[in-house]
């Protein structure tokens, strides 16, 4: 996920100004205009290069932020609420006037590397150039070729609604001075080519850390807490390191299948902001998805014997016959009537619901994701085989949903009870409404998972 | 329930001075027997088979009038259309009539409600019967009033003399006045004077449907009724090896577990109890399965490599015509679902050694025959009554559910048993529309006209409807099972796999070969339009490919090859309505497409022009708008006709863009709306326009299925126009379009 | 035994608290409008209104309904006195087989209660969970737009009546 979908620039604008104010020397702030070019014709680019660019753009999840629901491809306009106001994603079609049609490849590369647009203005780090700075020139060339051969769309940028002083773009230069690290990614000769490919993609274009790494008060990723879990659009982007709460520890094969197909029998189905990511990854070269999986599994480390045992216990619980519901508990009855018909059948994933003993949402430290899913469900992907879950926002009130969530936690997880679930549900109800109104258009279902089942 | 639907024979006979006599009801089952040889010429429509007027129209002494049809209302609205026809020819107010539909005890045997034949068969019969009844009434009045018949007129249910004397129909009926055979010719109303026909009369069934009235077999509640669920095998041919049902029998509300070989069902007092019991029974059942299904991703080779019976169904040659290079194309269609929104349902009751089944079958008589055979009961002891179900687009699970209900009801004498299929049962077990392959080859002459045309189609039969018990799942699964009857190709001119395989266009050299495949790897039967859906998709796609080769506008290209004047008129009307122009260019990312067919080459004409938008990044297609023109002969209810064509276009769009049955080597895997996605509202077009060409005085032409093929090809052609890529394998999914764009 | 309030009337229902509302409406209270379509929350045929919002009754267990008001299509009007939404569907002849229609109508009614002038996109979004197989979609959309107009007129009439009293 890119930062634009998040609102985690949580620092106060004033603080930023104080820190960087004195440092805003002309040399730091000023960037030259790169001369405009005539938009190149699509024929100017090699077809193989464009194809590679298409795959890279999918790995970069570009469409998620730069295409709005019902809007034209890559024409921007997605509103991203932040603590400082609303930032709109930009038009990256090759339209001369409103897109990047006049950008030379050098200008495009500078935006990716330095977060500066063609005119020399600093870009808000909602555009994750702190990751894209690691993208190779060769890949930038392919991405450029891909974007410049898209259909130009005349779509003027919407005015960002940022409060003073953050509406002064030079302030961003100070942020970069503090947090933009251009040269941290280096290949590791001791590791395989596949591992290094994964490392390169994860650090750069795939920008996994943008969601899965927590941020500091100034909205930058915490370097010493890489992949410890982050926040995005009222979703918890789960920890991918050794702090993972997945009931069954992930390994490279599981990650590969999940990223490629959008689900895994021991982990469930991708939903929330991750659904678009896996949708994109279903169309890219298989080797790249595998490389990402191998790298991520390696840096997360092998599970401890305890973790392994817990994983086996969770799998055993999931496979055991369903328990009779304790009908004295409201949550148990709700579960039996509304959930069990899908989540406790012999039908396998992804079309049978995940056994909740395997659900990371249930064993997560925070009930937000579970609340989000139960509230809004998983909607059908137009015309494609895809899991559907009805949402329960309209049939359960906050108290009922809290009873359900607390019951699920107690029955399906070994973790301590959550607190303040009812408030979490109420907050999630508001957040879900916003998300549904602004999220990108209907996604595509990932690879077609045809699973047999008992008719 | 609507009283008319459970009206029994006694109540009909008790109709006080009723005109119903002898033939049609004294022998309640006489109607299923083959009609006596009629002296030619035969009267029109279904009157040819059921000739007595009183089989169709009953007039009671109190003046109330009932029309009988052996066809079933399937949601296409013809109960209303029949009422309009009868009211028109009898000079009655529309509201004063009642129509009784398919019931083996009450109505004529009109076989299946299928093939868009209801208006042609039953509509024509009712129209002529009504006209002849009116003549008889006028003749009777003439006798009583001692006036020449020509001097009398009819109005509002009465015969009126020039001096204003008035004899109501009720007064005029006597004894068996209507128990006469229909004449070949009727004195029909002058089309210029029609009052009720041709009007967009509102459908009689809609008010109940939008207010929660009992409208469907699913809504039936008979005294003492119990709820049953069947536990179907997990796959075709699976054998039940073990099932300890003792725990299930102890569950709350469970009345009985019924097992007969591999047929397994449970009955409970309340509906949700029966579902819980079904789940428990399903867990207890152990099955032996076998892996017999073909590769779902290689249907082209699967079908063309199965043994086939080949016949040349059309051949024309003109050696004087020469041609140049030929082009070839292969088109495929997957197995597709009816997918009614309400899964199949039936109610059955065994009482006094007689079995009554309320069912949404399309054929009460043939289905009765099959159920009687399964139960080893005389057909005379079995009564089938049609009650509407959820939308019917061919042979779905209705007949199977009826058999299920009958078999279970036999085990619980006296109690009405309601069987409701579950969603996954309907998806997995309904007979699918068969997969098909077509291979086309054609060449142009020096004038850019088609000189030579070859069309080969590979297909199963398109009807495995009950003729015998073996067509029904319950009978196949019993301990002493009935064998599935050998499939037969449906004969032309209507055809099955070769329906619409013969081009309507005139080509000097043409050959059409039907490769009929007897082996049926998946359970299949009739799905709306049968083979015409794929054949028209193929022909009309290929016509566009050839138009491209000839560099001629697709509409113009069709007209160049079409002599049929009504066909030409329909094409021109659709093109005009759409704003089709030779040399036109669609807006960016959009394409225009056109297609045309005459259903079965003998029913309604339909042309569809469409505009499709394709998202070049995702491949996602969207039908933006469609404009159709239709000629279905004389129009009875224009709004009903428009509703049918609109529906056909939208449904065909869903088939064409999204739908295919999936399976692994053993089981069907598309068993719900997750795994068999269909159209949702976000992809519904901005507009659909339907233009009718009315042909007053011309015969009714079936129109319920005529839109299916043209809509599919029109969309395919628009996608090709938008992307420059031709897709020939149905469905035209987002992924296939994206792959074509990216290739 | 639990008490269920449907269409303004209280019913004593003998059903387990995990029983989906759909079966209680059809089996115990003998109402027809809410239909069984999939039992999985995938098709919308079973939609009814609970406290002003549309819910899928096939996945709504009885325990969730304590103290709530359930409205079904039967509760909106009748053949002789149709509610605006019912009139609209009749006037547009917005049905073929009609099986999916009650669920669609309840969803549309819930939408119109909250948003008296929905855009076409809002109507489509509201109906997204509902499947129709006959292809009656164009008419359904027209009927919902007509219902919005009828409800507005009815509201206006009601206001006029009140002010006249």
């Amino acid at each position: 996920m890119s930062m634009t979908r998040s609102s985690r620039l949580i620092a106060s604008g004033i603080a930023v100004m104080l820190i960087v104010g004195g440092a805003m020397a002309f040399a730091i702030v000023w960037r030259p205009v790169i001369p405009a070019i005539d938009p190149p014709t699509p024929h100017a680019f090699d077809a193989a290069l464009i194809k590679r660019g298409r795959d890279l753009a999918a790995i970069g999840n570009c469409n998620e932020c730069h295409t709005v629901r019902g809007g034209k491809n890559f024409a921007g306009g997605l509103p991203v609420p932040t603590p400082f106001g609303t930032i709109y994603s930009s038009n990256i079609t090759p339209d001369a006037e409103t897109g990047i049609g006049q950008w030379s490849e050098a200008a495009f590369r500078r935006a990716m590397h330095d977060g500066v647009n063609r005119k020399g203005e600093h870009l808000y780090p909602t555009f994750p150039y702190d990751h894209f700075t690691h993208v190779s020139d060769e890949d930038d060339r392919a991405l450029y070729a891909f974007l410049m051969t898209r259909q130009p769309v005349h779509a003027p940028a919407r005015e960002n609604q940022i409060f003073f002083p953050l509406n002064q773009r030079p302030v961003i230069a100070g942020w970069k001075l503090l947090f933009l690290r251009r040269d941290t990614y280096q290949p590791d000769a001791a590791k395989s080519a596949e591992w290094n490919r994964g490392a390169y993609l994860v650090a750069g274009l795939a920008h996994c850390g943008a969601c899965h790494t927590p941020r500091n008060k100034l909205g930058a990723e915490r370097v010493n807490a890489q992949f410890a879990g982050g926040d995005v659009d009222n979703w918890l982007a789960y920890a991918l390191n050794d702090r993972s709460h997945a009931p069954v520890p992930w390994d490279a094969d599981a990650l590969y299948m999940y990223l490629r197909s959008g689900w895994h029998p021991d982990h469930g189905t991708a939903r929330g902001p991750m659904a678009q990511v896996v949708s994109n990854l279903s169309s890219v070269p298989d080797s790249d998805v595998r490389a990402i999986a191998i790298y991520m599994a390696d840096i997360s480390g092998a599970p401890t014997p305890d973790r392994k045992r817990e994983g086996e216990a969770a799998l055993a619980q999931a496979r055991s016959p369903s328990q009779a519901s304790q009908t004295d508990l409201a949550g148990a009855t709700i579960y039996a009537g509304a959930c069990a018909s899908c989540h406790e059948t012999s039908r396998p994933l992804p079309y049978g619901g995940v056994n909740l003993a395997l659900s990371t949402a249930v064993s997560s430290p925070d009930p937000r994701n579970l609340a989000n899913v139960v509230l809004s469900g998983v909607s059908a992907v137009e015309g494609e085989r895809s899991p559907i879950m009805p949402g329960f926002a309209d049939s359960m009130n906050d108290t009922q949903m809290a009873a359900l969530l607390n019951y699920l936690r107690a029955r399906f997880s070994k973790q301590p009870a959550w607190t303040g679930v009812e408030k979490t549900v109420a907050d999630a109800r508001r957040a879900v409404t916003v998300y549904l109104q602004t999220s990108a258009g209907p996604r595509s279902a990932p690879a077609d998972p045809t699973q047999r089942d008992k008719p | 329930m609507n009283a008319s639907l459970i009206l029994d024979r006694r109540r009909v006979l008790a109709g006080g001075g009723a005109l119903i006599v002898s033939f049609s009801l004294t022998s309640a089952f006489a109607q299923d027997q083959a009609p006596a040889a009629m002296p030619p010429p035969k009267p029109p429509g279904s009157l040819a088979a059921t000739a007595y007027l009183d089989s169709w129209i009953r007039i009671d002494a109190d003046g109330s009038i009932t029309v009988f049809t052996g066809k079933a209302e399937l949601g296409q609205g013809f109960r209303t259309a029949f009422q309009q026809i009868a009211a028109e020819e009898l000079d009655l107010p529309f509201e004063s009539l009642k129509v009784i539909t398919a019931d083996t005890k009450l109505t004529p045997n009109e076989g299946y409600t299928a093939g868009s034949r209801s208006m042609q068969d039953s509509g024509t019969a009712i129209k002529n019967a009504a006209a002849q009844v009116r003549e008889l009434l006028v003749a009777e009045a003439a006798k009583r009033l001692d006036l020449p018949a020509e001097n009398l007129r009819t109005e509002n249910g009465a015969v009126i003399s020039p001096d204003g004397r008035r004899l109501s129909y009720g007064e005029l009926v006597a004894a068996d006045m209507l128990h006469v055979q229909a004449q070949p010719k009727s004195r029909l109303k002058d089309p210029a004077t029609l009052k009720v026909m041709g009007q967009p009369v509102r459908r009689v069934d809609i008010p109940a449907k939008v207010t929660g009235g009992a409208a469907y077999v699913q809504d039936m509640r008979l005294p003492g009724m119990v709820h049953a669920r069947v536990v179907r095998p997990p796959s075709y041919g699976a054998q039940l090896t073990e099932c300890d049902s003792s725990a299930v029998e102890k569950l709350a509300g469970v009345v009985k577990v019924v097992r007969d070989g591999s047929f397994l069902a449970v009955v409970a007092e309340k509906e949700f109890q029966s579902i819980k019991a079904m789940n428990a029974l399903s867990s207890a059942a152990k099955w032996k399965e076998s892996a017999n299904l073909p590769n779902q991703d290689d249907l082209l080779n699967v079908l063309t490599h199965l043994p086939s019976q080949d016949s040349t169904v059309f051949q024309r040659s003109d050696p004087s015509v020469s041609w140049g290079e030929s082009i070839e194309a292969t088109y495929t269609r997957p197995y597709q679902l009816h997918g009614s929104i309400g899964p199949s349902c039936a109610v059955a009751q065994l009482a006094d050694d007689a079995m009554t089944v309320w069912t949404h079958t399309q054929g009460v008589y043939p289905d009765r025959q099959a159920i009687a055979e399964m139960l080893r009961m005389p057909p005379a002891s079995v009564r089938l009554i049609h009650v509407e179900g959820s939308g019917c687009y061919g042979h779905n699970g209705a007949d199977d559910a009826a058999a299920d209900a009958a078999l279970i009801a036999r085990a619980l004498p006296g109690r009405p048993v309601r069987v409701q299929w579950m969603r996954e049962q309907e998806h997995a077990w309904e007979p699918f529309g068969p997969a098909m392959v077509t291979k086309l080859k054609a060449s142009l002459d020096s004038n850019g006209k088609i000189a030579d045309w070859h069309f080969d189609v590979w297909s199963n039969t398109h009807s495995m409807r009950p003729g015998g018990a073996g067509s029904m799942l319950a009978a196949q699964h019993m301990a002493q099972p009935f064998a599935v009857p050998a499939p037969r190709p449906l004969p032309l001119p209507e055809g099955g796999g070769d329906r619409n395989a013969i081009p309507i266009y005139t080509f000097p050299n043409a050959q059409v070969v039907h490769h009929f495949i007897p082996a049926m790897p998946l359970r299949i039967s009739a799905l709306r339009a049968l083979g015409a859906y794929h054949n028209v998709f193929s022909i009309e796609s290929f016509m566009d490919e050839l138009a491209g080769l000839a560099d001629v506008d697709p509409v113009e290209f069709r007209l160049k090859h079409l002599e049929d004047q009504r066909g030409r008129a329909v094409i021109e009307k659709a093109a005009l309505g759409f704003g089709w122009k030779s040399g036109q260019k669609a807006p960016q990312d959009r394409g225009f497409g056109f297609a045309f067919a005459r259903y079965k080459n003998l029913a309604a004409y339909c042309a569809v022009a469409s505009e499709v938008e394709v998202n070049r990044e995702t491949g996602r297609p969207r039908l933006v708008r469609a404009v159709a023109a239709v000629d279905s002969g004389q129009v009875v209810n224009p709004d009903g006709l428009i509703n049918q064509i609109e529906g056909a276009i939208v449904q065909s769009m869903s088939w064409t863009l999204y739908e295919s049955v999936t399976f692994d080597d053993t089981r069907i895997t598309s068993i719900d709306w997750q795994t068999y996605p269909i159209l949702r509202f976000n992809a519904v077009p901005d507009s659909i326009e339907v233009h009718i060409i009315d042909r007053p005085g011309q015969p009714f032409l079936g129109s319920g299925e005529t839109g299916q093929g043209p809509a599919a090809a029109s969309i395919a052609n628009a996608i090709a126009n938008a992307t420059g890529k031709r897709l020939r394998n149905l469905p035209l999914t987002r992924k296939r379009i994206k792959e074509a764009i990216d290739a | 035994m639990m008490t269920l309030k449907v269409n303004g009337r209280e019913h004593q229902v003998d059903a387990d608290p995990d029983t989906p509302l759909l079966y209680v409406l059809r089996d115990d209270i003998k109402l027809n409008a809410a239909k069984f379509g999939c039992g999985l929350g995938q098709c919308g045929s079973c939609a009814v209104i609970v406290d002003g919002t549309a819910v899928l009754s096939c996945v709504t267990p009885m325990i969730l309904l304590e103290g709530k008001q359930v409205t079904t299509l039967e509760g909106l009007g009748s053949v002789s006195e149709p509610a605006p939404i019912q009139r609209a569907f009749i006037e547009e002849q917005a049905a073929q087989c009609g099986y999916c229609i009650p669920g669609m109508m309840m969803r549309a009614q819930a939408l119109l209660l909250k948003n008296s002038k929905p855009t076409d996109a809002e109507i489509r979004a509201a109906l997204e969970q509902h499947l129709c197989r006959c292809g009656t979609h164009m008419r359904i959309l027209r009927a919902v737009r007509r219902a919005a107009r009828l409800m507005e007129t009815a509201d206006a009439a009601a206001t006029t009546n009140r002010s006249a009293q």
Side-chain angles (χ1 to χ4, degrees), chain A residues 54 73 146 150-151 347 351 380 382-388 442-444 446 450-455, chain B residues 234 282 428 589 615-617 620 658 660 662 664 667 669 671-672 674-675 677 680 683 734-735 738 742:
Chain A
R54 166 179 299 121
N73 300 307
F146 171 70
R150 297 310 90 198
Q151 272 164 2
R347 193 167 187 198
Y351 301 119
E382 180 192 329
E384 296 182 49
R385 281 175 248 287
S386 64
I388 299 172
R443 68 187 193 282
S444 305
T450 304
Q451 283 290 290
R452 62 187 281 162
D453 186 37
K454 183 179 276 195
Chain B
S282 179
D589 293 337
N615 184 320
R616 294 190 66 84
E617 299 307 327
R620 182 162 275 125
Y658 309 132
S660 60
T662 59
D664 59 21
R667 294 179 181 177
T669 53
I671 55 167
D672 59 7
Q674 303 181 92
T675 43
R680 287 179 183 267
R734 177 195 71 78
K735 273 192 182 125
K738 180 167 162 59
D742 291 350

Side-chain angles (χ1 to χ4, degrees), chain C residues 21 30 44 56 72 89 104 107 122 141 143:
Chain C
L21 171 63
K30 317 265 185 242
L56 301 175
T72 72
F89 273 72
M104 300 261 188
R107 179 74 61 180
E122 286 167 334
L141 291 173

Side-chain angles (χ1 to χ4, degrees), chain B residues 697-734:
Chain B
Q698 292 289 326
F700 305 137
L701 298 179
S703 57
E705 297 161 283
T706 190
Q708 242 66 16
S714 177
I715 290 168
N717 289 335
I719 290 172
N721 184 239
T723 61
K725 303 294 170 78
R726 172 63 57 181
L727 275 76
R728 301 188 184 89
N729 297 313
L730 293 168
L732 315 177
T733 59
R734 177 195 71 78

Side-chain angles (χ1 to χ4, degrees), chain B residues 503-712:
Chain B
I504 189 171
Y505 303 106
T506 308
F507 306 135
N509 294 281
Q511 185 186 47
V512 179
V513 180
H514 179 203
H515 305 264
F516 169 70
I517 307 168
M520 296 170 288
L522 271 71
R523 183 169 197 246
I524 54 91
S525 192
L527 173 61
R528 193 174 185 181
L530 278 54
Y533 167 67
H534 183 65
N535 291 330
V536 171
F537 163 71
S538 309
I539 292 173
E540 290 294 297
S541 293
F542 202 53
M543 283 297 280
D544 258 39
E545 298 194 47
L546 288 159
L549 190 69
D551 197 20
V552 176
D553 174 76
V555 169
E556 200 182 314
F557 190 71
R558 284 172 174 80
L559 290 172
K560 271 174 83 167
H561 293 90
L562 185 64
E563 287 166 7
D564 187 310
Q565 291 307 311
R566 286 171 72 174
R568 294 180 67 91
V570 163
I571 290 178
E572 283 160 359
K573 185 100 177 175
L576 184 71
F578 186 80
W580 189 280
K581 286 181 189 67
S582 184
Q584 66 193 349
K585 194 171 174 333
Q588 194 174 55
D589 293 337
R590 293 195 177 187
F592 297 141
F594 198 92
F596 159 77
R598 180 182 192 190
Y599 185 51
K600 299 191 277 192
N601 289 334
L602 51 76
Y605 299 81
C606 182
V608 179
S610 60
E611 178 171 348
V612 169
E613 183 173 52
V614 175
N615 184 320
R616 294 190 66 84
E617 299 307 327
T618 62
R620 182 162 275 125
R622 183 174 83 89
L623 178 61
V624 178
R625 67 187 179 109
V627 176
V630 59
D631 171 355
S632 66
Q634 173 155 16
V635 177
V636 176
N637 188 322
D639 189 62
L641 177 58
I642 290 170
N643 201 353
Q644 280 299 300
I645 302 294
E646 273 179 10
I649 292 172
V650 173
Q651 187 183 61
S652 179
M653 169 200 161
S654 179
W655 292 359
T656 302
L657 297 180
Y658 309 132
E659 299 182 25
S660 60
V661 169
T662 59
F663 41 91
D664 59 21
D665 62 3
T666 307
R667 294 179 181 177
I668 303 300
T669 53
S670 47
I671 55 167
D672 59 7
W673 302 120
Q674 303 181 92
T675 43
Y676 191 89
I678 63 170
L679 172 72
R680 287 179 183 267
F681 266 94
N682 56 357
V684 168
D686 295 349
S687 73
I688 294 180
E689 274 175 42
V690 179
H691 299 270
I692 296 175
I693 299 180
D694 192 11
R695 302 281 184 189
Q698 292 289 326
F700 305 137
L701 298 179
S703 57
E705 297 161 283
T706 190
Q708 242 66 16

